[in-house]
Amino acid sequence: MSISYTNPSDETKAKESAVRALFGVSLVICVMLAIAIACNNGTDPEPDKFAIYMCGVVLGSIYVFLGLVEVTLMNRLINLKSSLLLWAFFVACLGYVARAKASVDINTIFHMEASAFPMTLMASTLLHMINFLFLFFVASGIACFVLAALSVMQGHHHGKGFMLIFCQVVTGLAFIIITLFSHFRIDKDIQRLQMIYRIAQSVDFNAHSPCANIDSSTTTMVFLDANKRLALVAPTLDEFAGFEWRKVSYLRSVAIPEGFKTVTCEYSALSENPTSVWVQ
């Protein structure tokens, strides 16, 4: 969201338009939050839908927060190229360090190079970026609530002021949810590694194998080389084990094997070209 203006009147109109847009997004966030809670309650919960809507809440709240910063604090500075370069440099450094930490986690689980699990590496990097920003989310969430309370005490809870307060409360609530997820799930090594293992099973491992010497009914596999000859095998996850069926699948506890078997894929005589029967 970028605001340009040529005189004070144009600036005021642009700010009011931006606030209305942020208010609309905040309403959508509230609706998604209500749907997420409904999906996770009742006699027939749908935890995966809950996760999807909560992701929408998180992304929407971050957008609203950046919009609030632009409208209320950095309306002029946000458009400077130096500010954009600084933000880009910060995100690049954060992503680099987070990717390194993610690679260590993947290597700890599978005892393999992280490059063999590209989608898992991306997801793990995002988790570590969230964890690195823990204090930022805590401070920003508290600041949003404090600003909203001050605005109410000063009598600015009418018209445009109400819309700003509403945006601040919604953003603060979402940021507190992010901090709780970061503290209780990402920051704990055991829970984080279990989450990463489940992500890998979902996005990088394959439930159906073209290899004749790999039993797809009890194991999943991922190819480790471009020629699709060497494969890493892991036991199939039992989603119905335990009493965590109400939880999002990625957040359920799982026993991570201490070691993984690496096998050479044996194709049937009907297939001379491995890539012709398997496309990842």
Side-chain angles (χ1 to χ4, degrees):
M1 181 178 294
S2 180
I3 301 174
S4 59
Y5 53 87
T6 57
N7 56 62
S9 177
D10 292 338
E11 179 183 358
T12 301
K13 292 180 180 179
K15 284 185 177 181
E16 292 177 352
S17 177
V19 170
R20 286 194 295 269
L22 294 176
F23 179 71
V25 175
S26 298
L27 288 176
V28 174
I29 293 173
C30 287
V31 172
M32 288 193 294
L33 181 60
I35 296 176
I37 294 174
C39 288
N40 202 45
N41 291 330
T43 58
D44 188 21
E46 300 176 282
D48 290 334
K49 286 186 178 181
F50 167 81
I52 293 174
Y53 283 112
M54 286 305 298
C55 287
V57 170
V58 170
L59 293 176
S61 64
I62 292 176
Y63 174 82
V64 173
F65 175 78
L66 294 176
L68 288 173
V69 170
E70 183 177 350
V71 169
T72 60
L73 298 178
M74 298 176 63
N75 182 45
R76 297 178 182 274
L77 295 179
I78 201 74
N79 292 316
L80 294 179
K81 292 183 178 180
S82 58
S83 298
L84 296 178
L85 290 175
L86 182 61
W87 278 109
F89 178 75
F90 171 75
V91 172
C93 291
L94 183 67
Y96 179 81
V97 178
R99 188 179 187 278
K101 295 280 289 185
S103 298
V104 172
D105 281 347
I106 293 174
N107 182 265
T108 300
I109 297 172
F110 299 106
H111 314 293
M112 291 284 176
E113 290 292 334
S115 57
F117 310 90
M119 299 301 293
T120 305
L121 180 60
M122 291 176 57
S124 302
T125 299
L126 179 60
L127 291 177
H128 279 287
M129 291 180 70
I130 294 174
N131 199 37
F132 286 151
L133 294 173
F134 173 78
L135 293 179
F136 166 79
F137 285 120
V138 170
S140 299
I142 294 175
C144 286
F145 285 125
V146 170
L147 289 174
L150 291 176
S151 297
V152 172
M153 289 189 297
Q154 294 173 0
H156 297 160
H157 53 282
H158 301 287
K160 174 188 171 184
F162 171 78
M163 290 189 287
L164 275 174
I165 293 172
F166 185 79
C167 293
Q168 291 165 350
V169 171
V170 170
T171 302
L173 178 62
F175 278 16
I176 295 301
I177 293 175
I178 295 174
T179 59
L180 293 175
F181 175 73
S182 174
H183 177 70
F184 290 105
R185 285 293 175 177
I186 305 177
D187 194 50
K188 309 296 183 182
D189 291 343
I190 296 177
Q191 284 86 346
R192 184 181 68 253
L193 293 179
Q194 290 179 350
M195 198 187 323
I196 292 174
Y197 179 63
R198 281 191 172 276
I199 292 173
Q201 283 273 9
S202 175
V203 300
D204 282 319
F205 278 81
N206 304 290
H208 303 285
S209 171
C211 306
N213 57 329
I214 295 179
D215 185 4
S216 298
S217 63
T218 59
T219 59
T220 57
M221 52 82 67
V222 59
F223 285 112
L224 299 177
D225 63 332
N227 294 326
K228 300 186 186 300
R229 287 293 182 184
L230 199 62
L232 185 74
V233 178
T236 302
L237 295 180
D238 185 2
E239 297 295 347
F240 298 98
F243 301 92
E244 297 183 317
W245 57 277
R246 296 179 69 97
K247 285 187 178 181
V248 177
S249 58
Y250 294 127
L251 302 182
R252 296 171 189 167
S253 59
V254 60
I256 301 176
E258 294 183 1
F260 294 87
K261 185 179 179 181
T262 301
V263 301
T264 300
C265 184
E266 298 177 0
Y267 292 92
S268 63
L270 297 176
S271 174
E272 297 181 357
N273 181 13
T275 59
S276 66
V277 298
W278 187 262
V279 179
Q280 281 188 309

